[in-house]
Amino acid sequence: MSYRIPSPPPSLEDLAKRQQNVVTASQLRARGVPARIITEHCRRGGPWQRMLPRVYLLQAAEPTPEQRMWAALLYAAQNGRQEGRGEGAVITGAAALALYGFTVVPRLPAVTGVDVLVPRQRRLKDVGGVRIRRTERELVARSVHGLACAPVARAVADALVEWTAEPGGPAPVRAVLREAVAGPGNRCTVQELVTELADSGLTREPRVRAALDELLAAERDVVLERLGRLVDEWRLPAPLNAPELRMGGGTYIAVPDLYWPERGVAVEVDPELRCVSEGEAAWVRGGRQRMEYLGVRVVYVGGARLAADPDAVGGELREAYRAGGTDVVELLVV
Protein backbone atom coordinates (compact mmCIF):
# COMPACT_ATOMS: atom_id res chain seq x y z
CA MET A 1 0.00 0.00 0.00
CA SER A 2 1.37 3.38 -0.96
CA TYR A 3 0.97 6.48 1.14
CA ARG A 4 0.70 9.96 -0.23
CA ILE A 5 2.73 12.50 1.69
CA PRO A 6 0.76 15.77 1.82
CA SER A 7 2.60 18.74 0.40
CA PRO A 8 3.42 21.49 2.88
CA PRO A 9 1.26 24.63 2.77
CA PRO A 10 2.73 27.62 0.95
CA SER A 11 4.83 29.97 3.00
CA LEU A 12 3.27 33.09 4.47
CA GLU A 13 5.05 35.15 1.83
CA ASP A 14 3.66 33.00 -1.02
CA LEU A 15 0.19 32.94 0.53
CA ALA A 16 0.15 36.72 0.98
CA LYS A 17 1.21 37.18 -2.63
CA ARG A 18 -1.56 34.89 -3.89
CA GLN A 19 -4.23 36.51 -1.71
CA GLN A 20 -3.08 40.10 -2.17
CA ASN A 21 -1.84 40.43 1.43
CA VAL A 22 -5.15 39.28 2.94
CA VAL A 23 -4.98 36.26 5.26
CA THR A 24 -7.03 34.61 8.00
CA ALA A 25 -6.12 33.94 11.61
CA SER A 26 -6.06 30.19 11.00
CA GLN A 27 -3.72 30.64 8.04
CA LEU A 28 -1.36 32.67 10.20
CA ARG A 29 -1.46 30.11 13.03
CA ALA A 30 -0.80 27.29 10.55
CA ARG A 31 2.42 29.10 9.64
CA GLY A 32 3.58 29.52 13.19
CA VAL A 33 2.36 33.07 13.89
CA PRO A 34 0.95 33.14 17.46
CA ALA A 35 -2.13 35.15 18.42
CA ARG A 36 0.06 37.50 20.51
CA ILE A 37 2.05 38.57 17.46
CA ILE A 38 -1.12 39.12 15.43
CA THR A 39 -2.52 41.37 18.16
CA GLU A 40 0.71 43.35 18.46
CA HIS A 41 1.04 43.85 14.72
CA CYS A 42 -2.55 45.12 14.45
CA ARG A 43 -2.19 47.83 17.13
CA ARG A 44 -2.44 51.46 16.07
CA GLY A 45 0.60 52.29 13.98
CA GLY A 46 1.44 48.63 13.48
CA PRO A 47 2.34 47.01 10.14
CA TRP A 48 -0.91 45.00 9.92
CA GLN A 49 -4.62 45.72 10.34
CA ARG A 50 -7.77 43.77 11.09
CA MET A 51 -10.27 43.96 8.22
CA LEU A 52 -13.02 41.58 9.35
CA PRO A 53 -13.38 39.04 12.16
CA ARG A 54 -10.35 36.73 11.91
CA VAL A 55 -9.25 38.34 8.63
CA TYR A 56 -6.15 40.52 8.45
CA LEU A 57 -4.36 42.75 5.98
CA LEU A 58 -0.59 42.46 6.09
CA GLN A 59 0.05 46.13 5.36
CA ALA A 60 -0.60 49.49 6.98
CA ALA A 61 -1.91 51.19 3.83
CA GLU A 62 -5.61 51.42 3.01
CA PRO A 63 -6.94 48.25 1.36
CA THR A 64 -7.66 48.27 -2.35
CA PRO A 65 -11.08 47.22 -3.72
CA GLU A 66 -9.61 43.84 -4.68
CA GLN A 67 -8.28 43.35 -1.15
CA ARG A 68 -11.75 44.12 0.25
CA MET A 69 -13.12 41.41 -2.04
CA TRP A 70 -10.51 38.98 -0.78
CA ALA A 71 -11.37 39.84 2.81
CA ALA A 72 -15.09 39.20 2.20
CA LEU A 73 -14.38 35.90 0.48
CA LEU A 74 -11.96 34.66 3.14
CA TYR A 75 -14.29 35.69 5.95
CA ALA A 76 -17.13 33.69 4.41
CA ALA A 77 -14.91 30.74 3.49
CA GLN A 78 -13.65 30.20 7.05
CA ASN A 79 -14.54 26.70 8.25
CA GLY A 80 -15.68 25.83 4.73
CA ARG A 81 -14.50 22.88 2.65
CA GLN A 82 -11.27 24.57 1.66
CA GLU A 83 -10.91 27.46 4.07
CA GLY A 84 -8.84 30.22 2.65
CA ARG A 85 -9.10 29.09 -0.96
CA GLY A 86 -12.58 30.49 -1.46
CA GLU A 87 -14.11 27.16 -2.47
CA GLY A 88 -16.46 27.25 0.52
CA ALA A 89 -17.81 30.60 -0.67
CA VAL A 90 -18.17 32.59 -3.87
CA ILE A 91 -18.69 36.29 -4.56
CA THR A 92 -22.02 36.99 -6.22
CA GLY A 93 -24.39 39.85 -7.06
CA ALA A 94 -23.21 43.29 -8.14
CA ALA A 95 -19.69 42.75 -6.77
CA ALA A 96 -19.22 39.69 -8.98
CA LEU A 97 -20.60 41.58 -11.99
CA ALA A 98 -18.08 44.36 -11.34
CA LEU A 99 -15.29 41.78 -11.30
CA TYR A 100 -16.61 40.30 -14.56
CA GLY A 101 -16.37 43.79 -16.06
CA PHE A 102 -20.05 44.62 -16.54
CA THR A 103 -20.43 48.24 -17.62
CA VAL A 104 -23.96 48.63 -16.22
CA VAL A 105 -22.80 48.26 -12.60
CA PRO A 106 -20.47 50.59 -10.68
CA ARG A 107 -16.82 49.97 -11.35
CA LEU A 108 -14.91 48.04 -8.74
CA PRO A 109 -13.62 51.02 -6.69
CA ALA A 110 -17.24 52.17 -6.18
CA VAL A 111 -18.47 48.79 -4.90
CA THR A 112 -19.08 49.16 -1.18
CA GLY A 113 -21.02 45.99 -0.30
CA VAL A 114 -20.01 42.45 -1.22
CA ASP A 115 -22.53 39.62 -1.46
CA VAL A 116 -21.01 36.22 -0.74
CA LEU A 117 -22.79 32.95 -1.43
CA VAL A 118 -22.25 30.07 1.02
CA PRO A 119 -23.88 26.68 1.69
CA ARG A 120 -27.12 27.00 3.66
CA GLN A 121 -25.81 25.15 6.74
CA ARG A 122 -22.97 27.63 7.33
CA ARG A 123 -23.35 29.80 10.44
CA LEU A 124 -22.19 33.25 9.45
CA LYS A 125 -23.46 36.75 10.02
CA ASP A 126 -23.33 39.86 7.88
CA VAL A 127 -20.47 42.06 8.97
CA GLY A 128 -19.18 45.38 7.71
CA GLY A 129 -19.92 45.51 4.00
CA VAL A 130 -20.17 41.72 3.67
CA ARG A 131 -23.65 40.29 3.09
CA ILE A 132 -24.03 36.53 3.44
CA ARG A 133 -26.32 34.79 0.94
CA ARG A 134 -27.13 31.10 1.34
CA THR A 135 -27.91 28.37 -1.16
CA GLU A 136 -28.96 24.74 -0.96
CA ARG A 137 -27.24 23.96 -4.25
CA GLU A 138 -23.61 22.98 -4.61
CA LEU A 139 -21.39 26.01 -5.08
CA VAL A 140 -19.93 26.52 -8.53
CA ALA A 141 -16.96 28.88 -8.73
CA ARG A 142 -15.45 30.82 -11.62
CA SER A 143 -12.02 32.34 -11.08
CA VAL A 144 -12.05 36.06 -11.90
CA HIS A 145 -8.78 37.87 -11.20
CA GLY A 146 -7.97 35.02 -8.80
CA LEU A 147 -11.22 35.43 -6.83
CA ALA A 148 -13.94 32.77 -6.67
CA CYS A 149 -17.11 34.17 -8.24
CA ALA A 150 -20.51 32.70 -8.93
CA PRO A 151 -21.23 31.96 -12.61
CA VAL A 152 -22.53 34.99 -14.49
CA ALA A 153 -26.18 33.86 -14.61
CA ARG A 154 -26.28 33.29 -10.85
CA ALA A 155 -24.53 36.60 -10.13
CA VAL A 156 -27.05 38.41 -12.34
CA ALA A 157 -29.97 36.76 -10.55
CA ASP A 158 -28.61 37.65 -7.11
CA ALA A 159 -28.00 41.26 -8.18
CA LEU A 160 -31.53 41.56 -9.57
CA VAL A 161 -33.04 40.13 -6.38
CA GLU A 162 -31.37 42.97 -4.50
CA TRP A 163 -32.24 45.69 -7.01
CA THR A 164 -35.87 44.75 -7.54
CA ALA A 165 -36.43 44.63 -3.78
CA GLU A 166 -35.91 48.40 -3.66
CA PRO A 167 -39.34 50.07 -4.05
CA GLY A 168 -39.23 52.37 -7.05
CA GLY A 169 -35.45 52.12 -7.18
CA PRO A 170 -33.62 52.12 -10.48
CA ALA A 171 -32.88 48.62 -11.72
CA PRO A 172 -31.05 48.31 -15.07
CA VAL A 173 -32.80 45.02 -15.79
CA ARG A 174 -32.74 45.09 -19.58
CA ALA A 175 -29.18 46.39 -19.73
CA VAL A 176 -27.72 43.82 -17.35
CA LEU A 177 -29.51 40.90 -19.05
CA ARG A 178 -28.35 42.04 -22.48
CA GLU A 179 -24.79 42.41 -21.26
CA ALA A 180 -24.89 38.97 -19.65
CA VAL A 181 -25.56 37.24 -22.98
CA ALA A 182 -23.88 39.65 -25.40
CA GLY A 183 -20.87 40.81 -23.42
CA PRO A 184 -17.24 39.82 -24.09
CA GLY A 185 -16.85 36.08 -24.50
CA ASN A 186 -20.63 35.43 -24.41
CA ARG A 187 -20.67 35.44 -20.64
CA CYS A 188 -23.69 33.13 -20.35
CA THR A 189 -26.53 31.74 -22.44
CA VAL A 190 -30.15 32.81 -22.42
CA GLN A 191 -31.02 29.31 -21.20
CA GLU A 192 -28.78 29.72 -18.16
CA LEU A 193 -30.39 33.08 -17.38
CA VAL A 194 -33.89 31.62 -17.66
CA THR A 195 -33.00 28.84 -15.21
CA GLU A 196 -31.41 31.10 -12.61
CA LEU A 197 -34.07 33.82 -12.81
CA ALA A 198 -36.84 31.23 -12.51
CA ASP A 199 -35.14 29.56 -9.51
CA SER A 200 -34.87 32.99 -7.85
CA GLY A 201 -38.57 33.70 -8.45
CA LEU A 202 -37.66 36.70 -10.59
CA THR A 203 -39.72 35.66 -13.60
CA ARG A 204 -42.77 36.77 -11.59
CA GLU A 205 -41.36 40.30 -11.60
CA PRO A 206 -42.90 42.16 -14.59
CA ARG A 207 -39.74 44.11 -15.45
CA VAL A 208 -37.61 40.98 -15.45
CA ARG A 209 -40.14 38.91 -17.36
CA ALA A 210 -40.51 41.56 -20.08
CA ALA A 211 -36.74 41.93 -20.49
CA LEU A 212 -36.25 38.17 -20.60
CA ASP A 213 -38.98 37.75 -23.21
CA GLU A 214 -37.17 40.32 -25.37
CA LEU A 215 -33.95 38.30 -25.12
CA LEU A 216 -35.75 35.08 -25.96
CA ALA A 217 -37.41 36.66 -28.99
CA ALA A 218 -34.06 37.98 -30.23
CA GLU A 219 -32.42 34.60 -29.68
CA ARG A 220 -35.17 32.83 -31.58
CA ASP A 221 -34.90 35.30 -34.47
CA VAL A 222 -31.20 34.50 -34.82
CA VAL A 223 -31.87 30.75 -34.77
CA LEU A 224 -34.72 31.05 -37.27
CA GLU A 225 -32.54 33.07 -39.64
CA ARG A 226 -29.83 30.41 -39.41
CA LEU A 227 -32.44 27.70 -39.94
CA GLY A 228 -33.77 29.45 -43.05
CA ARG A 229 -30.29 29.45 -44.57
CA LEU A 230 -29.97 25.75 -43.74
CA VAL A 231 -33.25 24.97 -45.53
CA ASP A 232 -31.88 26.71 -48.64
CA GLU A 233 -28.54 24.91 -48.41
CA TRP A 234 -30.29 21.51 -48.27
CA ARG A 235 -32.47 22.51 -51.23
CA LEU A 236 -35.72 21.97 -49.39
CA PRO A 237 -38.87 23.78 -50.57
CA ALA A 238 -39.54 27.08 -48.81
CA PRO A 239 -41.76 26.47 -45.75
CA LEU A 240 -44.41 28.80 -44.37
CA ASN A 241 -43.13 31.03 -41.55
CA ALA A 242 -45.22 30.99 -38.35
CA PRO A 243 -48.56 30.12 -39.96
CA GLU A 244 -51.67 29.78 -37.83
CA LEU A 245 -53.12 26.28 -38.16
CA ARG A 246 -56.84 25.63 -37.61
CA MET A 247 -59.28 22.79 -38.10
CA GLY A 248 -61.81 22.97 -40.92
CA GLY A 249 -64.41 24.33 -38.48
CA GLY A 250 -62.07 27.09 -37.31
CA THR A 251 -60.77 25.47 -34.11
CA TYR A 252 -57.29 26.80 -33.29
CA ILE A 253 -54.44 24.23 -33.37
CA ALA A 254 -51.01 25.91 -33.19
CA VAL A 255 -48.52 28.38 -34.69
CA PRO A 256 -45.38 26.39 -35.57
CA ASP A 257 -42.20 28.25 -36.46
CA LEU A 258 -42.02 26.60 -39.91
CA TYR A 259 -44.57 24.46 -41.72
CA TRP A 260 -44.67 22.48 -44.97
CA PRO A 261 -48.41 22.05 -45.59
CA GLU A 262 -47.86 19.75 -48.56
CA ARG A 263 -46.02 17.27 -46.32
CA GLY A 264 -47.63 17.88 -42.94
CA VAL A 265 -44.27 18.71 -41.33
CA ALA A 266 -43.73 21.43 -38.73
CA VAL A 267 -40.55 22.78 -37.10
CA GLU A 268 -40.36 24.12 -33.55
CA VAL A 269 -37.25 26.08 -32.51
CA ASP A 270 -36.19 25.81 -28.85
CA PRO A 271 -39.81 25.37 -27.74
CA GLU A 272 -38.88 25.27 -24.07
CA LEU A 273 -37.51 28.81 -24.37
CA ARG A 274 -40.33 30.31 -26.38
CA CYS A 275 -41.66 32.37 -23.50
CA VAL A 276 -41.35 32.89 -19.76
CA SER A 277 -45.03 33.31 -18.96
CA GLU A 278 -46.47 30.09 -17.52
CA GLY A 279 -49.79 30.61 -19.28
CA GLU A 280 -48.17 31.17 -22.65
CA ALA A 281 -45.79 28.25 -22.15
CA ALA A 282 -48.77 25.95 -21.52
CA TRP A 283 -50.43 27.35 -24.66
CA VAL A 284 -47.35 26.55 -26.73
CA ARG A 285 -47.02 23.03 -25.29
CA GLY A 286 -50.68 22.41 -26.03
CA GLY A 287 -50.17 23.45 -29.66
CA ARG A 288 -47.33 20.97 -30.11
CA GLN A 289 -49.41 18.17 -28.63
CA ARG A 290 -52.39 18.98 -30.84
CA MET A 291 -50.26 18.97 -34.00
CA GLU A 292 -48.79 15.58 -33.16
CA TYR A 293 -52.23 14.19 -32.27
CA LEU A 294 -53.52 15.28 -35.70
CA GLY A 295 -50.67 13.50 -37.48
CA VAL A 296 -48.30 16.42 -38.10
CA ARG A 297 -44.64 15.43 -37.92
CA VAL A 298 -42.99 17.94 -35.57
CA VAL A 299 -39.21 18.44 -35.71
CA TYR A 300 -37.64 20.09 -32.67
CA VAL A 301 -34.51 22.14 -33.36
CA GLY A 302 -32.34 23.50 -30.56
CA GLY A 303 -30.26 26.59 -31.23
CA ALA A 304 -27.15 25.12 -29.58
CA ARG A 305 -27.33 21.94 -31.66
CA LEU A 306 -28.00 23.91 -34.83
CA ALA A 307 -24.85 25.96 -34.23
CA ALA A 308 -22.72 22.94 -33.29
CA ASP A 309 -23.87 20.44 -35.93
CA PRO A 310 -25.87 22.07 -38.75
CA ASP A 311 -25.34 19.10 -41.08
CA ALA A 312 -27.08 16.76 -38.65
CA VAL A 313 -30.02 19.16 -38.35
CA GLY A 314 -30.18 19.57 -42.13
CA GLY A 315 -30.27 15.80 -42.60
CA GLU A 316 -33.00 15.50 -39.99
CA LEU A 317 -35.12 18.14 -41.76
CA ARG A 318 -34.66 16.45 -45.13
CA GLU A 319 -35.62 13.07 -43.72
CA ALA A 320 -38.70 14.54 -41.99
CA TYR A 321 -39.78 16.22 -45.22
CA ARG A 322 -39.30 13.02 -47.19
CA ALA A 323 -41.28 10.94 -44.68
CA GLY A 324 -44.02 13.55 -44.12
CA GLY A 325 -46.73 13.40 -41.49
CA THR A 326 -48.90 10.38 -40.69
CA ASP A 327 -52.54 10.52 -41.80
CA VAL A 328 -52.54 14.28 -41.29
CA VAL A 329 -55.99 15.78 -40.75
CA GLU A 330 -56.63 18.50 -43.30
CA LEU A 331 -55.76 21.79 -41.65
CA LEU A 332 -56.48 25.37 -42.63
CA VAL A 333 -53.49 27.70 -42.88
CA VAL A 334 -54.36 31.24 -41.84
Side-chain angles (χ1 to χ4, degrees), residues 30-75:
R31 287 156 182 83
V33 181
R36 175 180 57 81
I37 296 297
I38 298 174
T39 302
E40 289 179 358
H41 279 48
C42 290
R43 285 175 179 163
R44 183 183 295 275
W48 297 353
Q49 55 186 297
R50 177 183 178 274
M51 297 187 71
L52 293 169
R54 301 176 300 282
V55 179
Y56 302 93
L57 180 62
L58 306 186
Q59 66 185 48
E62 283 292 312
T64 66
E66 290 83 0
Q67 288 172 326
R68 293 187 185 280
M69 296 281 186
W70 268 108
L73 191 61
L74 292 173
Y75 164 74

Side-chain angles (χ1 to χ4, degrees), residues 117-177:
L117 196 62
V118 301
R120 180 167 294 279
Q121 67 271 19
R122 298 285 308 285
R123 294 183 178 181
L124 286 167
K125 295 181 179 180
D126 295 355
V127 61
V130 182
R131 296 183 293 263
I132 301 299
R133 301 289 181 258
R134 291 176 172 80
T135 180
E136 294 180 351
R137 289 184 286 168
E138 183 178 358
L139 290 182
V140 178
R142 300 283 183 269
S143 179
V144 185
H145 306 302
L147 290 157
C149 290
V152 169
R154 177 59 194 257
V156 167
D158 287 337
L160 288 179
V161 166
E162 190 75 22
W163 294 339
T164 56
E166 301 174 6
V173 176
R174 281 181 171 81
V176 76
L177 293 187

Side-chain angles (χ1 to χ4, degrees), residues 173 202-214 276-277:
V173 176
L202 284 163
T203 50
R204 295 191 295 268
E205 165 66 38
R207 289 175 294 175
V208 175
R209 188 168 62 247
L212 198 53
D213 279 339
E214 288 179 10
V276 176
S277 166

Side-chain angles (χ1 to χ4, degrees), residues 85-101:
R85 296 182 52 148
E87 289 151 5
V90 294
I91 296 171
T92 190
L97 299 184
L99 286 167
Y100 278 115

